[in-house]
Amino acid sequence: MMNFVPAAPVLLAYILAVVALILTPGPDMTLFLGKAVSQSRMAGVAAMLGNSLGLVIHTVLVAIGLAALLAASVTAFTVLKVVGAAYLAYLAYQAIRHGSALTLGGNRTAAPLYRVFLHGLTVNLLNPKIIVFFVTFLPQFVLPGDPHASGKLMFLGLLFVAVSIPMSLPMIYFAGSIADFLKRSPKATRAVDYLFATVLGGFAVRLILAQTK
């Protein structure tokens, strides 16, 4: 079982990166906080759980696909890690240049919770950016040639969800206050953008340097 758990320093670095990512405004946060503000907190929870199920499905598909790639060619897996590092650097650049987009509120028509859940699931599954992100982010914490890569990728993806849910619940509960705060304090949103860029940029630089040694 422990073969599927990364070493403590890698695990800590991964958790810190996940926390920074979860706190960064994006389509997922916009969806469940928007539902919490426009409909109800339970609707926000339903949207968040649908989004989380989508992440679990992405995790399974990515773990299977990348494990197959690793089995076929360690070189190809290494190339993917380098491309992934470049993509993380690009995301960091985009965060600084364009900032985060978080628009809460909107349509206040109440929808059944199961429809809100399915909406969260569908938005997540059909978002190509999430697929690309998982394909490039998760491998950064697995070494090429690791015989337990599939299990570690699965563990890391599920850990992402496990960290995300308890962090998202308080945000849903205080969604109205968060919306008001962000409207009054655009500098706070920019600070989160810089945090996001710093974390991803730091990983990108470290990984690119590690691959060139």
Side-chain angles (χ1 to χ4, degrees), residues 64-88:
I64 293 173
L66 291 181
L69 176 63
L70 177 59
S73 172
V74 173
T75 300
F77 189 79
T78 302
V79 170
L80 176 64
K81 287 172 69 72
V82 174
V83 172
Y87 180 66
L88 295 180

Side-chain angles (χ1 to χ4, degrees), residues 189-207:
T189 302
R190 286 302 287 163
V192 173
D193 292 335
Y194 277 97
L195 172 62
F196 177 71
T198 299
V199 171
L200 291 191
F203 274 117
V205 171
R206 182 180 68 84
L207 291 165

Side-chain angles (χ1 to χ4, degrees), residues 30-44 47 103-111 116 119 172 175-176 179:
T30 297
L31 176 63
F32 63 72
L33 292 189
K35 285 294 183 181
V37 171
S38 64
Q39 185 170 337
S40 68
R41 288 169 177 162
M42 285 304 300
T103 304
L104 304 182
N107 188 1
R108 292 183 173 273
T109 301
V116 177
H119 183 204
I172 292 171

Side-chain angles (χ1 to χ4, degrees), residues 22-52 55 102-105 116 119-120 123 164-165 167-173 175 178:
I22 293 171
L23 292 177
T24 301
D28 50 349
M29 185 184 294
T30 297
L31 176 63
F32 63 72
L33 292 189
K35 285 294 183 181
V37 171
S38 64
Q39 185 170 337
S40 68
R41 288 169 177 162
M42 285 304 300
V45 171
M48 182 269 294
L49 291 178
N51 179 79
S52 298
L55 291 177
L102 182 64
T103 304
L104 304 182
V116 177
H119 183 204
V123 167
S164 174
I165 290 176
M167 288 188 63
S168 298
L169 289 175
M171 288 192 284
I172 292 171
Y173 186 84
I178 292 174

Side-chain angles (χ1 to χ4, degrees), residues 2 30 41 51 57 60 62 67-68 100 148 150 153-154 157 171 173 184-185 198:
M2 295 305 295
T30 297
R41 288 169 177 162
N51 179 79
I57 295 173
V60 174
V62 167
S100 304
H148 306 289
S150 179
L153 289 167
M154 187 77 71
M171 288 192 284
Y173 186 84
R184 295 194 309 268
S185 307
T198 299

